[in-house]
């Protein structure tokens, strides 16, 4: 099985970037949860919410294409950008990727 590199950056200032292995067919959410990274996932990773929102800053061509349903949820995410994806739908196909996890502290209510 092919293993690629997932670089995760955080908008929150006190979080250091991290590089983790990701296998073909795995999602960004899967890798986050396996490694204790607190990416929200209210619907359980089935493209039914927008809480796993991330920005894909490198390797957009290396992940599964966005679906219409995913686009609809991204429209409802906080501060969506052109690089926005849902972490549970970012399945790696072939190659390294880099994402930024938005700062959710302002609206998740810790
Ligand atoms: S966890 Fe709900 S859409 Fe990704």
């Amino acid at each position: 099985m092919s293993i690629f590199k997932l670089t995760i950056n955080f908008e929150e200032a006190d979080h250091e970037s991290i590089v983790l292995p990701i296998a073909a067919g795995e999602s960004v959410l899967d890798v986050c949860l396996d490694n204790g990274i607190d990416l929200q996932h209210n619907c359980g990773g089935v493209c039914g919410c927008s809480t796993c929102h991330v920005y894909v800053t490198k390797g957009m061509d290396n992940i599964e294409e966005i679906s219409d349903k995913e686009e609809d949820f991204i429209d409802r995410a906080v501060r969506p950008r052109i690089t926005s994806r849902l972490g549970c739908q970012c399945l790696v196909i072939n190659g390294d990727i880099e994402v930024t996890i938005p700062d959710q502290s302002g609206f998740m209510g810790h």
Side-chain angles (χ1 to χ4, degrees), residues 14-108:
D14 56 346
H15 283 53
E16 302 233 337
S17 298
I18 181 168
V19 180
L20 295 165
I22 185 165
E26 261 191 318
S27 74
V28 169
L29 177 66
D30 291 336
V31 174
C32 285
L33 298 184
D34 285 351
N35 290 278
I37 295 166
D38 199 15
L39 183 58
Q40 303 292 325
H41 52 286
N42 287 4
C43 77
V46 295
C47 199
C49 69
S50 58
T51 56
C52 63
H53 178 212
V54 299
Y55 304 121
V56 177
T57 48
K58 275 183 204 158
M60 190 63 107
D61 292 344
N62 297 337
I63 55 183
E64 201 70 51
E65 261 183 58
I66 193 163
S67 65
D68 290 347
K69 191 175 171 197
E70 185 179 350
E71 274 181 14
D72 284 349
F73 279 108
I74 284 173
D75 284 344
R76 292 177 234 173
V78 177
R79 293 190 299 273
R81 297 180 193 157
I82 194 84
T83 55
S84 289
R85 293 293 305 261
L86 298 178
C88 68
Q89 303 301 305
C90 286
L91 265 52
V92 167
I93 307 169
N94 188 18
D96 299 340
I97 64 169
E98 184 171 323
V99 303
T100 297
I101 296 183
D103 180 356
Q104 303 196 320
S105 57
F107 52 90
M108 292 308 293

